Amino acid sequence: MRTGNLKLVFAYLRLSNEEARSGESSSIANQRQMIQDYCHRHSITLVQEFVDDGYSGGNFDRPAFQAMLRQLHDGKANMVITKDLSRLGRDMRESSYYAEQFFPEHGIRYLTIADNFDTAHENVMAPFQFAMNEVYLRDGSRKVKDVLRSKRENGQYCACPPYGYRKDPADKNRLAPDEQTAPVVRRIFERAAAGDSSRKIALDLNTDGIIPPLKYRVLFRDDFSPEGAARASDLWNYTTVKRILKNPVYLGHTMLGKSRKVSVKSKKKVAVPQSEWSVTHDTHLPLIDSLLYEKAQRNLGHGRRSTLSHDAIRKSIFSGIVRCARCGHSLCSCGTVYKGEREKYWYLSCTHQRGDIAKRCDGVRIKYADLMEVVRQDLNTLLALTDAQAEALARIAVEKEQGASGHAARKARLHQAQTRLLTIDKIIAKLYTDNAEGRLDDDRLARMVEALEQESASHQAVLTELSQTLPNREDTEARFHRFFMLAKQCSHIDVLDRETLLTFIDRIEVGPKQFEGGLRKATHRNTPYRQDIRIFYRFIGEIHAENEPLLKQSCDL
């Protein structure tokens, strides 16, 4: 029930974190004292205080303010007092709504002390006051952004420390390894580099009772509200593991500014293009080295360990590396066993060869042992180059990249990646349709979509790489220098293994068999044919046969 002429008031006090740092003039204690003195002078009964300490005036989703509205709805008071209009809020539209519409419509008198706003009287200057408070909000937001931008450009870490790090006690703008969680990060990268899937890594961490990142922050590092703490899971999941594996902060680099708010009044964030990220190298101690990081990236998503443990499965070292030159699909192991021999009848073949597929990849099939030998010999040729030959190779690559042929090759790769991405989108849409109509079960749908999304991510990375400006001479020379520094660690390869493959090779593309005389397929076992094998090395890409006679990218089998 309403209380007639009796003045029962709620005091509302608010202070943002930015305002708290600027001085004591708007402090909670200062606001409280002003309101108490006003109530005493005017014989007003102060029923209750509602305090939002550390909340921005940019929106009204504040716990104390919402609690006050609920009690006003129950008729617990008939007045609301704030120090000034900015304490109510700085959003012009919503502040005006509550002060000039909501409170009067509900029979509640609202007044401020410092700027003489009172709903019991006409407030001619109110629109200007609301507008000026919003100007202050926008100006404060701009200043905060400027400060953050300056810190990012100087390599200062101005965000929540990632798992494995903490703020350096000597410099809060730098990261320092967290003695408790840094070993867990190293373990995750080592297991991924060795071939474990993200899902298996997460299961192993749960088995060993390792506390996941958000739960660790709740228990040992940060202050969370009860609602926020309740959202922290006690278990690791593969998404969290992947997020750690993809973060270059563990190499000692600072990468910030990957998202931004859509406006000063909204909490929604949108992604920022990678070209606009703030990246600063070597700003803090790394937890892992670049070689371990890159090995983990190469194995990410392949999950080879669970299948390689079975003796009946052929253990291909080319998983995720060898692709069909026509469609971009990975080549899969196939073959048979005859008289106990497995290696002799082991092939890698494109699965895009079914009879119901238009433009199927006929003839994209290669003997596993032949591919092993081709790659081993080609890599040994590179490893045997002298320093002078390596420098000459770099010069040839620079001339090619800067010339017309380099532009044409980039354009062809860009078109191939874009075409494959469109195809993947159509396949995923068809899979979901089949699932909805009962032709595909949920488990198989999840596996197939996950594999397609992983392939899509690799093509997206190619698009990102090719969309950037053409590399200059210094960048190309630096990449060749980096490759041949790796090459010095290995003089000759007798047996090619998975680790060596990941160290030196980015991907291999195998084309269809081309038979002599216009034949479409072999007429007998020894029918001669030619098959293109393109090897793309890490950092330096493909070494073209026409530019370097020592190296050969196609072979007669």
Side-chain angles (χ1 to χ4, degrees):
M1 294 180 60
R2 291 296 174 191
T3 55
N5 293 326
L6 186 64
K7 298 177 180 178
L8 300 179
V9 68
F10 282 162
Y12 180 70
L13 301 80
R14 183 192 64 81
L15 186 69
S16 69
N17 290 328
E18 291 76 14
E19 291 167 329
R21 289 192 290 268
S22 66
E24 292 294 324
S25 61
S26 296
S27 69
I28 295 297
N30 179 280
Q31 296 177 54
R32 179 180 291 115
Q33 188 62 50
M34 287 185 67
I35 294 174
Q36 289 176 352
D37 291 345
Y38 183 89
C39 292
H40 179 72
R41 290 196 308 271
H42 295 83
S43 301
I44 297 173
T45 303
L46 181 57
V47 178
Q48 188 176 345
E49 290 180 353
F50 294 87
V51 182
D52 279 320
D53 194 358
Y55 286 85
S56 168
N59 66 77
F60 284 78
D61 186 17
R62 313 175 211 133
F65 184 80
Q66 295 299 323
M68 182 181 72
L69 293 182
R70 289 191 293 270
Q71 295 211 29
L72 287 171
H73 179 76
D74 294 338
K76 300 293 180 65
N78 56 14
M79 287 183 66
V80 173
I81 295 180
T82 62
K83 176 196 169 189
D84 54 44
L85 282 173
S86 69
R87 298 308 93 201
L88 179 67
R90 293 190 180 278
D91 181 287
M92 179 171 61
R93 180 176 59 83
E94 288 201 72
S95 295
S96 176
Y97 163 73
Y98 280 107
E100 298 188 299
Q101 183 176 341
F102 179 86
F103 289 144
E105 288 179 353
H106 289 78
I108 299 162
R109 180 183 176 187
Y110 170 64
L111 62 88
T112 67
I113 300 171
D115 43 20
N116 298 317
F117 180 93
D118 191 340
T119 55
H121 307 101
E122 289 292 332
N123 299 283
V124 178
M125 299 301 294
F128 299 99
Q129 292 171 305
F130 292 128
M132 288 307 299
N133 285 330
E134 179 157 322
V135 169
Y136 180 92
L137 174 69
R138 292 176 181 274
D139 185 57
S141 174
R142 178 188 60 79
K143 290 177 180 177
V144 170
K145 288 180 180 177
D146 289 343
V147 170
L148 292 177
R149 186 181 301 110
S150 176
K151 288 185 174 182
R152 290 168 183 166
E153 290 173 354
N154 288 287
Q156 297 179 343
Y157 202 91
C158 46
C160 177
Y163 185 75
Y165 284 104
R166 57 184 174 84
K167 289 292 183 73
D168 191 336
D171 183 355
K172 66 178 182 179
N173 292 316
R174 289 178 60 86
L175 294 177
D178 185 333
E179 294 81 1
Q180 301 298 320
T181 56
V184 180
V185 172
R186 296 189 192 98
R187 168 180 171 176
I188 289 173
F189 276 94
E190 288 169 356
R191 298 324 309 152
D196 284 345
S197 68
S198 300
R199 195 179 302 275
K200 185 178 187 307
I201 294 171
L203 291 173
D204 290 345
L205 292 172
N206 290 329
T207 301
D208 293 344
I210 306 297
I211 301 174
L214 186 57
K215 192 70 173 183
Y216 179 83
R217 288 177 56 194
V218 169
L219 295 176
F220 302 110
R221 203 180 73 185
D222 301 330
D223 293 327
F224 278 76
S225 66
E227 296 81 7
R231 291 196 295 267
S233 173
D234 293 324
L235 298 175
W236 287 80
N237 59 63
Y238 73 94
T239 303
T240 304
V241 173
K242 281 186 176 180
R243 189 178 297 117
I244 289 174
L245 289 171
K246 293 180 179 180
N247 196 342
V249 72
Y250 300 112
L251 290 170
H253 310 323
T254 295
M255 183 178 292
L256 298 171
K258 294 188 285 186
S259 63
R260 60 173 176 81
K261 289 185 177 180
V262 293
S263 76
V264 67
K265 299 181 181 181
S266 175
K267 292 184 177 180
K268 183 180 179 180
K269 292 186 176 182
V270 294
V272 172
Q274 188 172 353
S275 59
E276 299 178 17
W277 293 358
S278 297
V279 182
T280 312
H281 293 276
D282 304 321
T283 56
H284 51 270
L285 286 175
L287 299 187
I288 57 171
D289 58 42
S290 58
L291 186 58
L292 180 62
Y293 178 83
E294 288 159 1
K295 284 184 179 179
Q297 304 312 298
R298 298 295 302 279
N299 280 331
L300 190 61
H302 295 305
R304 301 173 63 253
R305 277 296 182 85
S306 58
T307 58
L308 294 186
S309 60
H310 302 285
D311 293 336
I313 296 177
R314 292 181 169 93
K315 300 171 177 59
S316 170
I317 67 171
F318 295 106
S319 175
I321 296 177
V322 179
R323 303 176 189 174
C324 173
R326 292 187 60 185
C327 69
H329 275 87
S330 293
L331 301 192
C332 298
S333 289
C334 62
T336 186
V337 179
Y338 181 68
K339 293 184 178 181
E341 292 190 71
R342 296 173 60 84
E343 299 286 333
K344 185 176 180 180
Y345 304 99
W346 183 1
Y347 295 87
L348 296 178
S349 177
C350 179
T351 57
H352 204 64
Q353 299 189 42
R354 300 197 317 269
D356 59 338
I357 296 177
K359 297 181 180 179
R360 58 184 184 177
C361 301
D362 290 327
V364 183
R365 171 183 167 104
I366 187 169
K367 197 170 184 179
Y368 185 82
D370 290 341
L371 181 61
M372 286 276 287
E373 186 60 19
V374 168
V375 175
R376 188 187 72 85
Q377 290 185 12
D378 201 86
L379 184 53
N380 277 331
T381 303
L382 271 180
L383 298 180
L385 293 179
T386 64
D387 291 343
Q389 290 172 320
E391 291 176 4
L393 199 61
R395 286 196 299 272
I396 294 171
V398 169
E399 293 169 1
K400 187 172 184 65
E401 283 186 350
Q402 302 302 318
S405 58
H407 287 276
R410 288 168 65 88
K411 187 176 180 180
R413 285 186 62 199
L414 187 66
H415 176 73
Q416 184 182 28
Q418 291 171 333
T419 302
R420 181 57 187 161
L421 283 172
L422 291 174
T423 303
I424 289 174
D425 289 341
K426 293 178 182 178
I427 293 173
I428 291 178
K430 179 67 166 57
L431 290 175
Y432 277 107
T433 301
D434 290 346
N435 175 257
E437 295 177 354
R439 294 193 295 269
L440 185 68
D441 62 76
D442 292 344
D443 289 341
R444 192 176 180 190
L445 171 70
R447 291 194 303 271
M448 294 177 74
V449 169
E450 183 179 4
L452 287 168
E453 287 178 343
Q454 290 166 3
E455 183 185 348
S456 176
S458 67
H459 290 298
Q460 288 285 3
V462 171
L463 287 181
T464 301
E465 174 193 346
L466 296 178
S467 299
Q468 297 173 355
T469 57
L470 197 68
N472 57 37
R473 179 180 298 273
E474 291 75 16
D475 291 338
T476 302
E477 291 174 348
R479 288 188 285 107
F480 271 78
H481 176 73
R482 189 174 181 185
F483 177 85
F484 284 105
M485 286 297 292
L486 277 178
K488 289 182 179 179
Q489 302 175 12
C490 187
S491 59
H492 185 81
I493 299 171
D494 294 319
V495 178
L496 189 65
D497 56 26
R498 174 77 176 181
E499 184 174 356
T500 303
L501 202 66
L502 291 176
T503 300
F504 293 105
I505 294 177
D506 181 61
R507 73 183 190 279
I508 301 169
E509 294 182 0
V510 176
K513 295 178 180 178
Q514 301 172 13
F515 297 95
E516 296 179 353
L519 295 175
R520 297 188 61 184
K521 61 180 181 179
T523 56
H524 54 276
R525 188 168 62 179
N526 295 322
T527 301
Y529 64 89
R530 183 179 181 84
Q531 188 167 23
D532 287 336
I533 303 170
R534 303 179 65 191
I535 302 175
F536 295 83
Y537 291 95
R538 289 184 58 205
F539 311 124
I540 62 176
E542 183 181 16
I543 307 300
H544 297 275
E546 64 270 19
N547 288 341
E548 177 51 61
L550 293 174
L551 304 174
K552 186 178 182 182
Q553 298 304 306
S554 62
C555 65
D556 295 313
L557 300 178

PDB file of all heavy atoms in Angstrom, residues 70 97 126 184 212 216 218 240 256 268 304 327 348 403 424:
ATOM      1  N   ARG A  70      12.236  -3.824  -7.688  1.00  0.00           N
ATOM      2  CA  ARG A  70      11.295  -4.826  -7.179  1.00  0.00           C
ATOM      3  C   ARG A  70      10.613  -4.343  -5.890  1.00  0.00           C
ATOM      4  O   ARG A  70       9.409  -4.550  -5.698  1.00  0.00           O
ATOM      5  CB  ARG A  70      12.028  -6.154  -6.947  1.00  0.00           C
ATOM      6  CG  ARG A  70      12.426  -6.873  -8.230  1.00  0.00           C
ATOM      7  CD  ARG A  70      12.890  -8.289  -7.959  1.00  0.00           C
ATOM      8  NE  ARG A  70      14.133  -8.315  -7.204  1.00  0.00           N
ATOM      9  CZ  ARG A  70      15.350  -8.330  -7.765  1.00  0.00           C
ATOM     10  NH1 ARG A  70      15.458  -8.284  -9.095  1.00  0.00           N
ATOM     11  NH2 ARG A  70      16.435  -8.383  -7.023  1.00  0.00           N
ATOM     12  N   TYR A  97      14.155   7.621 -19.456  1.00  0.00           N
ATOM     13  CA  TYR A  97      12.957   6.794 -19.288  1.00  0.00           C
ATOM     14  C   TYR A  97      12.624   6.600 -17.810  1.00  0.00           C
ATOM     15  O   TYR A  97      11.474   6.801 -17.382  1.00  0.00           O
ATOM     16  CB  TYR A  97      13.154   5.447 -19.970  1.00  0.00           C
ATOM     17  CG  TYR A  97      12.168   4.396 -19.515  1.00  0.00           C
ATOM     18  CD1 TYR A  97      10.836   4.451 -19.913  1.00  0.00           C
ATOM     19  CD2 TYR A  97      12.573   3.363 -18.661  1.00  0.00           C
ATOM     20  CE1 TYR A  97       9.922   3.492 -19.480  1.00  0.00           C
ATOM     21  CE2 TYR A  97      11.668   2.412 -18.227  1.00  0.00           C
ATOM     22  CZ  TYR A  97      10.343   2.477 -18.630  1.00  0.00           C
ATOM     23  OH  TYR A  97       9.441   1.548 -18.186  1.00  0.00           O
ATOM     24  N   ALA A 126      16.639  19.142 -18.229  1.00  0.00           N
ATOM     25  CA  ALA A 126      16.899  17.701 -18.096  1.00  0.00           C
ATOM     26  C   ALA A 126      17.464  17.063 -19.366  1.00  0.00           C
ATOM     27  O   ALA A 126      18.422  16.290 -19.295  1.00  0.00           O
ATOM     28  CB  ALA A 126      15.629  16.978 -17.658  1.00  0.00           C
ATOM     29  N   VAL A 184      51.169 -28.242 -16.482  1.00  0.00           N
ATOM     30  CA  VAL A 184      50.007 -28.852 -17.141  1.00  0.00           C
ATOM     31  C   VAL A 184      49.946 -28.422 -18.603  1.00  0.00           C
ATOM     32  O   VAL A 184      49.657 -29.226 -19.489  1.00  0.00           O
ATOM     33  CB  VAL A 184      48.703 -28.458 -16.413  1.00  0.00           C
ATOM     34  CG1 VAL A 184      47.499 -29.107 -17.098  1.00  0.00           C
ATOM     35  CG2 VAL A 184      48.762 -28.861 -14.950  1.00  0.00           C
ATOM     36  N   PRO A 212      40.496 -27.950 -13.990  1.00  0.00           N
ATOM     37  CA  PRO A 212      40.428 -27.223 -15.265  1.00  0.00           C
ATOM     38  C   PRO A 212      40.584 -25.718 -15.061  1.00  0.00           C
ATOM     39  O   PRO A 212      40.442 -25.201 -13.946  1.00  0.00           O
ATOM     40  CB  PRO A 212      39.039 -27.587 -15.800  1.00  0.00           C
ATOM     41  CG  PRO A 212      38.246 -27.968 -14.604  1.00  0.00           C
ATOM     42  CD  PRO A 212      39.211 -28.587 -13.636  1.00  0.00           C
ATOM     43  N   TYR A 216      40.036 -23.485 -11.650  1.00  0.00           N
ATOM     44  CA  TYR A 216      41.264 -23.048 -10.972  1.00  0.00           C
ATOM     45  C   TYR A 216      41.186 -21.567 -10.645  1.00  0.00           C
ATOM     46  O   TYR A 216      41.594 -21.127  -9.559  1.00  0.00           O
ATOM     47  CB  TYR A 216      42.471 -23.337 -11.863  1.00  0.00           C
ATOM     48  CG  TYR A 216      43.799 -22.905 -11.266  1.00  0.00           C
ATOM     49  CD1 TYR A 216      44.461 -23.717 -10.356  1.00  0.00           C
ATOM     50  CD2 TYR A 216      44.360 -21.680 -11.602  1.00  0.00           C
ATOM     51  CE1 TYR A 216      45.669 -23.327  -9.797  1.00  0.00           C
ATOM     52  CE2 TYR A 216      45.562 -21.277 -11.061  1.00  0.00           C
ATOM     53  CZ  TYR A 216      46.212 -22.103 -10.152  1.00  0.00           C
ATOM     54  OH  TYR A 216      47.403 -21.694  -9.591  1.00  0.00           O
ATOM     55  N   VAL A 218      38.460 -19.858 -10.126  1.00  0.00           N
ATOM     56  CA  VAL A 218      37.464 -19.686  -9.054  1.00  0.00           C
ATOM     57  C   VAL A 218      38.062 -20.028  -7.697  1.00  0.00           C
ATOM     58  O   VAL A 218      37.853 -19.312  -6.705  1.00  0.00           O
ATOM     59  CB  VAL A 218      36.222 -20.562  -9.341  1.00  0.00           C
ATOM     60  CG1 VAL A 218      35.306 -20.607  -8.127  1.00  0.00           C
ATOM     61  CG2 VAL A 218      35.466 -20.050 -10.556  1.00  0.00           C
ATOM     62  N   THR A 240      38.359 -26.965 -24.383  1.00  0.00           N
ATOM     63  CA  THR A 240      39.328 -26.232 -23.564  1.00  0.00           C
ATOM     64  C   THR A 240      40.754 -26.597 -23.950  1.00  0.00           C
ATOM     65  O   THR A 240      41.635 -25.732 -24.045  1.00  0.00           O
ATOM     66  CB  THR A 240      39.091 -26.541 -22.073  1.00  0.00           C
ATOM     67  OG1 THR A 240      37.738 -26.222 -21.729  1.00  0.00           O
ATOM     68  CG2 THR A 240      40.030 -25.738 -21.191  1.00  0.00           C
ATOM     69  N   LEU A 256      46.496  -9.617 -28.487  1.00  0.00           N
ATOM     70  CA  LEU A 256      45.295  -9.029 -27.899  1.00  0.00           C
ATOM     71  C   LEU A 256      44.476  -8.335 -28.983  1.00  0.00           C
ATOM     72  O   LEU A 256      44.899  -8.224 -30.124  1.00  0.00           O
ATOM     73  CB  LEU A 256      45.687  -8.025 -26.809  1.00  0.00           C
ATOM     74  CG  LEU A 256      46.453  -8.594 -25.610  1.00  0.00           C
ATOM     75  CD1 LEU A 256      46.964  -7.469 -24.726  1.00  0.00           C
ATOM     76  CD2 LEU A 256      45.574  -9.542 -24.796  1.00  0.00           C
ATOM     77  N   LYS A 268      27.719  -7.101 -26.053  1.00  0.00           N
ATOM     78  CA  LYS A 268      28.015  -8.056 -27.122  1.00  0.00           C
ATOM     79  C   LYS A 268      29.354  -7.748 -27.767  1.00  0.00           C
ATOM     80  O   LYS A 268      29.689  -6.586 -28.008  1.00  0.00           O
ATOM     81  CB  LYS A 268      26.910  -8.019 -28.178  1.00  0.00           C
ATOM     82  CG  LYS A 268      27.112  -9.033 -29.298  1.00  0.00           C
ATOM     83  CD  LYS A 268      25.989  -8.967 -30.312  1.00  0.00           C
ATOM     84  CE  LYS A 268      26.212  -9.965 -31.441  1.00  0.00           C
ATOM     85  NZ  LYS A 268      25.126  -9.916 -32.455  1.00  0.00           N
ATOM     86  N   ARG A 304      45.590 -39.757 -33.854  1.00  0.00           N
ATOM     87  CA  ARG A 304      46.121 -40.987 -34.429  1.00  0.00           C
ATOM     88  C   ARG A 304      46.378 -42.062 -33.389  1.00  0.00           C
ATOM     89  O   ARG A 304      46.389 -43.241 -33.686  1.00  0.00           O
ATOM     90  CB  ARG A 304      47.426 -40.691 -35.164  1.00  0.00           C
ATOM     91  CG  ARG A 304      47.301 -39.698 -36.277  1.00  0.00           C
ATOM     92  CD  ARG A 304      48.647 -39.306 -36.852  1.00  0.00           C
ATOM     93  NE  ARG A 304      49.337 -40.428 -37.451  1.00  0.00           N
ATOM     94  CZ  ARG A 304      50.383 -41.016 -36.900  1.00  0.00           C
ATOM     95  NH1 ARG A 304      50.824 -40.632 -35.721  1.00  0.00           N
ATOM     96  NH2 ARG A 304      50.965 -42.003 -37.515  1.00  0.00           N
ATOM     97  N   CYS A 327      40.789 -32.988 -55.492  1.00  0.00           N
ATOM     98  CA  CYS A 327      39.661 -32.577 -54.648  1.00  0.00           C
ATOM     99  C   CYS A 327      40.083 -32.053 -53.281  1.00  0.00           C
ATOM    100  O   CYS A 327      39.279 -31.454 -52.574  1.00  0.00           O
ATOM    101  CB  CYS A 327      38.686 -33.728 -54.466  1.00  0.00           C
ATOM    102  SG  CYS A 327      39.329 -35.093 -53.452  1.00  0.00           S
ATOM    103  N   LEU A 348      47.870 -45.745 -50.670  1.00  0.00           N
ATOM    104  CA  LEU A 348      47.134 -44.572 -50.209  1.00  0.00           C
ATOM    105  C   LEU A 348      46.236 -44.144 -51.349  1.00  0.00           C
ATOM    106  O   LEU A 348      46.699 -43.978 -52.486  1.00  0.00           O
ATOM    107  CB  LEU A 348      48.083 -43.430 -49.828  1.00  0.00           C
ATOM    108  CG  LEU A 348      49.021 -43.701 -48.645  1.00  0.00           C
ATOM    109  CD1 LEU A 348      49.925 -42.494 -48.413  1.00  0.00           C
ATOM    110  CD2 LEU A 348      48.230 -44.002 -47.375  1.00  0.00           C
ATOM    111  N   GLY A 403      57.451 -12.459 -59.298  1.00  0.00           N
ATOM    112  CA  GLY A 403      57.097 -12.438 -60.708  1.00  0.00           C
ATOM    113  C   GLY A 403      55.649 -12.825 -60.957  1.00  0.00           C
ATOM    114  O   GLY A 403      54.876 -13.118 -60.043  1.00  0.00           O
ATOM    115  N   ILE A 424      32.383 -28.132 -49.024  1.00  0.00           N
ATOM    116  CA  ILE A 424      32.228 -28.610 -47.649  1.00  0.00           C
ATOM    117  C   ILE A 424      30.913 -28.104 -47.054  1.00  0.00           C
ATOM    118  O   ILE A 424      30.190 -28.856 -46.383  1.00  0.00           O
ATOM    119  CB  ILE A 424      33.424 -28.164 -46.785  1.00  0.00           C
ATOM    120  CG1 ILE A 424      34.680 -28.944 -47.189  1.00  0.00           C
ATOM    121  CG2 ILE A 424      33.141 -28.367 -45.299  1.00  0.00           C
ATOM    122  CD1 ILE A 424      35.941 -28.474 -46.503  1.00  0.00           C
TER     123      ILE A 424
END
